[in-house]
PDB file of all heavy atoms in Angstrom:
ATOM      1  N   GLN A  66      -8.072  28.654  -0.937  1.00  0.00           N
ATOM      2  CA  GLN A  66      -8.264  29.388   0.313  1.00  0.00           C
ATOM      3  C   GLN A  66      -7.814  28.436   1.465  1.00  0.00           C
ATOM      4  O   GLN A  66      -8.679  27.998   2.253  1.00  0.00           O
ATOM      5  CB  GLN A  66      -9.689  29.802   0.402  1.00  0.00           C
ATOM      6  CG  GLN A  66     -10.053  30.802  -0.500  1.00  0.00           C
ATOM      7  CD  GLN A  66     -11.641  31.206  -0.486  1.00  0.00           C
ATOM      8  OE1 GLN A  66     -12.342  30.516   0.189  1.00  0.00           O
ATOM      9  NE2 GLN A  66     -11.989  32.151  -1.287  1.00  0.00           N
ATOM     10  N   LEU A  67      -6.487  28.106   1.560  1.00  0.00           N
ATOM     11  CA  LEU A  67      -5.969  27.278   2.528  1.00  0.00           C
ATOM     12  C   LEU A  67      -4.707  27.877   3.161  1.00  0.00           C
ATOM     13  O   LEU A  67      -4.032  28.721   2.443  1.00  0.00           O
ATOM     14  CB  LEU A  67      -5.586  25.893   1.936  1.00  0.00           C
ATOM     15  CG  LEU A  67      -6.784  25.015   1.419  1.00  0.00           C
ATOM     16  CD1 LEU A  67      -6.269  23.812   0.646  1.00  0.00           C
ATOM     17  CD2 LEU A  67      -7.635  24.625   2.528  1.00  0.00           C
ATOM     18  N   SER A  68      -4.401  27.565   4.380  1.00  0.00           N
ATOM     19  CA  SER A  68      -3.139  28.029   4.968  1.00  0.00           C
ATOM     20  C   SER A  68      -1.869  27.357   4.352  1.00  0.00           C
ATOM     21  O   SER A  68      -1.984  26.280   3.925  1.00  0.00           O
ATOM     22  CB  SER A  68      -3.166  27.754   6.507  1.00  0.00           C
ATOM     23  OG  SER A  68      -3.231  26.386   6.688  1.00  0.00           O
ATOM     24  N   PHE A  69      -0.863  28.143   4.293  1.00  0.00           N
ATOM     25  CA  PHE A  69       0.322  27.729   3.518  1.00  0.00           C
ATOM     26  C   PHE A  69       1.544  28.111   4.307  1.00  0.00           C
ATOM     27  O   PHE A  69       1.633  29.211   4.937  1.00  0.00           O
ATOM     28  CB  PHE A  69       0.450  28.420   2.145  1.00  0.00           C
ATOM     29  CG  PHE A  69       1.710  28.215   1.473  1.00  0.00           C
ATOM     30  CD1 PHE A  69       2.071  26.960   0.852  1.00  0.00           C
ATOM     31  CD2 PHE A  69       2.610  29.287   1.246  1.00  0.00           C
ATOM     32  CE1 PHE A  69       3.221  26.851   0.178  1.00  0.00           C
ATOM     33  CE2 PHE A  69       3.762  29.133   0.645  1.00  0.00           C
ATOM     34  CZ  PHE A  69       4.050  27.917   0.080  1.00  0.00           C
ATOM     35  N   ARG A  70       2.515  27.161   4.475  1.00  0.00           N
ATOM     36  CA  ARG A  70       3.797  27.404   5.075  1.00  0.00           C
ATOM     37  C   ARG A  70       4.910  26.777   4.255  1.00  0.00           C
ATOM     38  O   ARG A  70       4.767  25.761   3.660  1.00  0.00           O
ATOM     39  CB  ARG A  70       3.859  26.757   6.510  1.00  0.00           C
ATOM     40  CG  ARG A  70       2.861  27.336   7.520  1.00  0.00           C
ATOM     41  CD  ARG A  70       3.155  28.743   7.976  1.00  0.00           C
ATOM     42  NE  ARG A  70       2.265  29.271   8.916  1.00  0.00           N
ATOM     43  CZ  ARG A  70       1.101  29.779   8.735  1.00  0.00           C
ATOM     44  NH1 ARG A  70       0.716  29.917   7.406  1.00  0.00           N
ATOM     45  NH2 ARG A  70       0.374  30.200   9.648  1.00  0.00           N
ATOM     46  N   ARG A  71       5.987  27.535   4.208  1.00  0.00           N
ATOM     47  CA  ARG A  71       7.157  27.093   3.501  1.00  0.00           C
ATOM     48  C   ARG A  71       8.244  26.779   4.456  1.00  0.00           C
ATOM     49  O   ARG A  71       8.602  27.589   5.412  1.00  0.00           O
ATOM     50  CB  ARG A  71       7.725  28.097   2.508  1.00  0.00           C
ATOM     51  CG  ARG A  71       9.012  27.713   1.853  1.00  0.00           C
ATOM     52  CD  ARG A  71       9.490  28.886   0.918  1.00  0.00           C
ATOM     53  NE  ARG A  71      10.836  28.510   0.322  1.00  0.00           N
ATOM     54  CZ  ARG A  71      11.430  29.274  -0.625  1.00  0.00           C
ATOM     55  NH1 ARG A  71      10.802  30.275  -1.157  1.00  0.00           N
ATOM     56  NH2 ARG A  71      12.594  28.937  -1.027  1.00  0.00           N
ATOM     57  N   ILE A  72       8.916  25.573   4.364  1.00  0.00           N
ATOM     58  CA  ILE A  72      10.070  25.159   5.222  1.00  0.00           C
ATOM     59  C   ILE A  72      11.201  25.015   4.273  1.00  0.00           C
ATOM     60  O   ILE A  72      11.238  24.138   3.382  1.00  0.00           O
ATOM     61  CB  ILE A  72       9.727  23.871   5.926  1.00  0.00           C
ATOM     62  CG1 ILE A  72       8.461  23.877   6.736  1.00  0.00           C
ATOM     63  CG2 ILE A  72      10.946  23.502   6.834  1.00  0.00           C
ATOM     64  CD1 ILE A  72       8.044  22.604   7.273  1.00  0.00           C
ATOM     65  N   GLN A  73      12.293  25.821   4.505  1.00  0.00           N
ATOM     66  CA  GLN A  73      13.454  25.669   3.731  1.00  0.00           C
ATOM     67  C   GLN A  73      14.385  24.702   4.409  1.00  0.00           C
ATOM     68  O   GLN A  73      14.905  24.959   5.486  1.00  0.00           O
ATOM     69  CB  GLN A  73      14.207  27.094   3.647  1.00  0.00           C
ATOM     70  CG  GLN A  73      15.420  26.969   2.746  1.00  0.00           C
ATOM     71  CD  GLN A  73      15.046  26.717   1.234  1.00  0.00           C
ATOM     72  OE1 GLN A  73      14.168  27.368   0.756  1.00  0.00           O
ATOM     73  NE2 GLN A  73      15.661  25.860   0.597  1.00  0.00           N
ATOM     74  N   PHE A  74      14.521  23.555   3.833  1.00  0.00           N
ATOM     75  CA  PHE A  74      15.360  22.463   4.439  1.00  0.00           C
ATOM     76  C   PHE A  74      16.830  22.743   4.274  1.00  0.00           C
ATOM     77  O   PHE A  74      17.302  22.950   3.166  1.00  0.00           O
ATOM     78  CB  PHE A  74      14.958  21.093   3.838  1.00  0.00           C
ATOM     79  CG  PHE A  74      13.690  20.483   4.417  1.00  0.00           C
ATOM     80  CD1 PHE A  74      12.478  21.090   4.062  1.00  0.00           C
ATOM     81  CD2 PHE A  74      13.735  19.432   5.199  1.00  0.00           C
ATOM     82  CE1 PHE A  74      11.283  20.584   4.669  1.00  0.00           C
ATOM     83  CE2 PHE A  74      12.563  18.919   5.703  1.00  0.00           C
ATOM     84  CZ  PHE A  74      11.336  19.472   5.460  1.00  0.00           C
ATOM     85  N   THR A  75      17.488  22.691   5.403  1.00  0.00           N
ATOM     86  CA  THR A  75      18.911  22.993   5.415  1.00  0.00           C
ATOM     87  C   THR A  75      19.627  21.887   6.220  1.00  0.00           C
ATOM     88  O   THR A  75      19.018  21.211   7.056  1.00  0.00           O
ATOM     89  CB  THR A  75      19.267  24.452   6.013  1.00  0.00           C
ATOM     90  OG1 THR A  75      18.681  24.433   7.356  1.00  0.00           O
ATOM     91  CG2 THR A  75      18.759  25.481   5.186  1.00  0.00           C
TER      92      THR A  75
END
Side-chain angles (χ1 to χ4, degrees):
Q66 296 173 353
L67 295 172
S68 59
F69 171 71
R70 296 291 184 272
R71 172 180 176 174
I72 306 172
Q73 186 65 49
F74 280 69
T75 58

